[in-house]
Every structure is written in C-alpha cells, then in structure tokens.
Amino acid sequence: MTTVSDLIDLFETEAAADHPPDETPDVGVIMGSDSDLDVMAGAHDALTDLGFTELTDYDDPPTGYTFESWVVSAHRTPALMDAYARTAAARGLDVIIAGAGGKSADLPNMTASLAYPIPVVGVPVQEKSVSSVIGMPTGAPITAVDAGKSYNAGLAAAQFLATDDPTLADRLRDLQAARQEGVADVSARLHSQGTDSLRSPQN
Ligand code: RP5
C-alpha cells in the first residue's frame, strides 16, 4: 500500500532529480478526494482535446505537453499538499489545476499560496465551495472557474502555456472555432426541423 510518506518522498526525489523540461509534467491536476474525479475529469478532457497526454510514469514520460493527476487533501493530508506545492516548480510544473468540494474547499487556495508564483486554477467542485475557493486576500492570487467547470480550468491552464507557444494558441483557437460551428449547426437544425425535433422527451 502506498503511504503519504511514500508520495512525499516521490515528490522530493523528483524535485531533486533535475529532469530536462521536456520530461516533466507541464500541468498538475489535483483534487481533494477521488469522489471529485467525475467533476474534475473535465480538466483531463480539455487538456486531452488540446493534445496533452497524461503522464503516469515519471520514468517513462510521453512526448509533447503533459499533465499529471493526483488526489491531495488539504485537510486529511496537509503534509502531502505542502510537499506537492512546494516541489511543484522544481518538478517542472508550469500551472496547477486544483479542485475541491465542500464548504471549506481549501486545497486550491492553500496550494496557490504554497506554490506561488506558479499559477493555480481553482475548481469549486460544488456550488457551496465557490466562496472558499475564490476568497483569497490581497497579495495571494488565484485564478478560478465556476462550480464544476473543470473543462474551463483545463483551457485556462493551456492559455497560460500558450502565451509562449503559438502552436498551442492555434490549438486553442481551433477548439473554440469547432465549438462555434457546433452552435451554428444546432441553431440551423432547430430552425429547420422545429422545436419538437430537438426537445428532450417530456414526462
Ligand atoms: C473535500 O471534501 C473533497 O474535495 C471532496 O469534494 C469532499 C468530500 O470528500 P470525500 O469525503 O468524498 O472523500 O475535501
């Protein structure tokens, strides 16, 4: 069984390893519980849509942009959160996406403070988590998306990286263009086929 100490050791070992940048994850996706995974999967989907690959083995990193995923709880494993955030820069991360639920969703904001100046995109997993994710004091910034909008968090993370990469910026534009075409297509179908044709079945 993997222990908290094992993971802290892993993060510290990776931080000390001084891997070349093309072998380290670009984006870190962390969540307070595996019960957050269904909501947080949107970040995975956005990054995958943009051509990122999930890095699951530090010793065998994929090529191109990569992201990694971990469960890190602010309240149940504070030492793990500290180690993850403290080693993030040395492990090559450029952006962190952090999601948590409940009324005291502290993982995003504490990670933002610990990993500063690495930007953190906070995802309130539930509506009641919004104020605790975005409520940072002056001098302690966080970027955040609306409740459950983890897909937007994936896009936002890529936007940070795209400021320095025209190819990634083009991929973001292509994704936006495809979404626009989707709206045009459904609009034409609604108009030409009528309301009943697109309506969900009523009980
Ligand atoms: C938060 O508590 C987690 O982010 C999760 O949304 C919530 C409940 O966690 P579990 O009790 O389901 O593990 O810290």
Side-chain angles (χ1 to χ4, degrees):
M1 186 173 155
T2 305
T3 66
V4 168
S5 295
D6 292 337
L7 295 181
I8 292 172
D9 287 348
L10 174 65
F11 295 144
E12 287 176 350
T13 302
E14 285 301 307
D18 202 22
H19 295 298
D22 61 348
E23 294 180 10
T24 58
D26 302 295
V27 179
V29 180
I30 56 173
M31 59 203 82
S33 169
D34 58 328
S35 67
D36 298 329
L37 188 56
D38 285 347
V39 172
M40 291 303 293
H44 162 284
D45 295 345
L47 292 167
T48 303
D49 287 348
L50 289 163
F52 288 62
T53 307
E54 188 162 9
L55 187 160
T56 55
D57 181 354
Y58 288 134
D59 294 327
D60 186 20
T63 55
Y65 280 112
T66 58
F67 64 98
E68 62 169 9
S69 309
W70 293 99
V71 172
V72 176
S73 170
H75 303 110
R76 288 171 287 204
T77 60
L80 183 60
M81 173 186 67
D82 176 70
Y84 187 88
R86 209 171 14 82
T87 59
R91 290 187 297 108
L93 292 169
D94 294 314
V95 191
I96 296 172
I97 297 170
K103 277 170 103 173
S104 183
D106 296 319
L107 178 68
N109 52 46
M110 290 310 301
T111 300
S113 291
L114 289 161
Y116 184 87
I118 294 177
V120 171
V121 184
V123 182
V125 165
Q126 298 163 325
E127 200 69 45
K128 65 184 174 188
S129 320
V130 171
S131 56
S132 63
V133 170
I134 66 175
M136 296 280 277
T138 301
I142 190 167
T143 300
V145 297
D146 198 5
K149 298 290 186 191
S150 64
Y151 192 93
N152 280 354
L155 295 181
Q159 284 179 277
F160 282 115
L161 298 173
T163 57
D164 211 18
D165 182 348
T167 305
L168 184 56
D170 280 344
R171 282 192 227 156
L172 281 159
R173 286 190 197 95
D174 290 346
L175 204 58
Q176 185 188 49
R179 201 165 281 273
Q180 288 181 7
E181 296 312 324
V183 173
D185 183 59
V186 79
S187 180
R189 282 194 289 126
L190 174 63
H191 179 76
S192 62
Q193 296 170 19
T195 299
D196 281 339
S197 70
L198 265 75
R199 220 168 164 186
S200 305
Q202 303 294 302
N203 292 329

